[in-house]
Amino acid sequence: MPAEDTNAERPGDARAAEAPALQDAHAARVSDDPDGITVRDPVSALDAKGRPRRTTRRFPLFTRDTARPEGGGRAAAGDAPAPARQWPVLTVVLLVALGLLLTSLGVFRWGLVLVGAALLLGAVLRWTMPRVGMLAVRSRFTDIATYGVFGLSIALLALMAQPNPVLEIPFLKDTLHFTVS
């Protein structure tokens, strides 16, 4: 039994009304080369049946598929249990959770340093490992930059927090006094 053509012209279909106009416009844009090569512009690409179809630069209403980010495959073999396949992201998430737990228990400085260190570990894993599972969200460069900047910022701000900062950066103190007074 033959498969139905889902793009077949139906009475009243808007594409059916456009088809003759597109074919006429397409015929005007076709140029024959002496070598027998027919050149068509990209506006009138042909469909599976050889009819010209209109292409557009607009984004589709519904996304049908999305390219997986580079390195976004499983970190372990497919026959391994789910936690083992996603161990890089689970490591980062568990360290962040532990850091937040320490922060909520009153050890805020070292809890936040652990959160920053976990994000820096995520940046290092994304940089060094070819496949990191769900730790790959965007391109490799963007992931490394995002994890690195946020991790370094959180760790440095936690070390500079008052009272009794572990890390003092003199020009920041002078900058603060200059802007306030």
Side-chain angles (χ1 to χ4, degrees), residues 21-35:
L22 282 174
Q23 286 172 347
D24 293 338
H26 174 67
R29 283 190 294 262
V30 173
S31 64
D32 290 326
D33 190 27
D35 295 331

Side-chain angles (χ1 to χ4, degrees), residues 39-138:
V39 178
R40 294 178 172 82
D41 64 343
V43 175
S44 62
L46 300 177
D47 64 4
K49 292 188 173 187
R51 295 179 302 206
R53 65 176 169 82
R54 188 168 161 257
T55 59
T56 178
R57 294 180 62 137
R58 290 186 188 177
F59 291 110
L61 288 177
F62 301 103
T63 303
R64 291 186 174 80
D65 61 349
T66 304
R68 175 182 290 173
E70 175 190 349
R74 298 175 176 143
D79 58 346
R85 290 191 308 252
Q86 297 298 332
W87 72 265
V89 74
L90 287 176
T91 303
V92 172
V93 168
L94 290 175
L95 286 174
V96 167
L98 181 62
L100 292 175
L101 179 66
L102 287 174
T103 302
S104 69
L105 294 176
V107 192
F108 79 95
R109 184 183 318 270
W110 301 112
L112 289 178
V113 167
L114 184 59
V115 169
L119 290 175
L120 288 172
L121 174 67
V124 168
L125 287 174
R126 186 71 170 102
W127 185 19
T128 58
M129 294 185 57
R131 299 172 70 81
V132 289
M134 293 191 311
L135 192 60
V137 179
R138 297 158 295 267

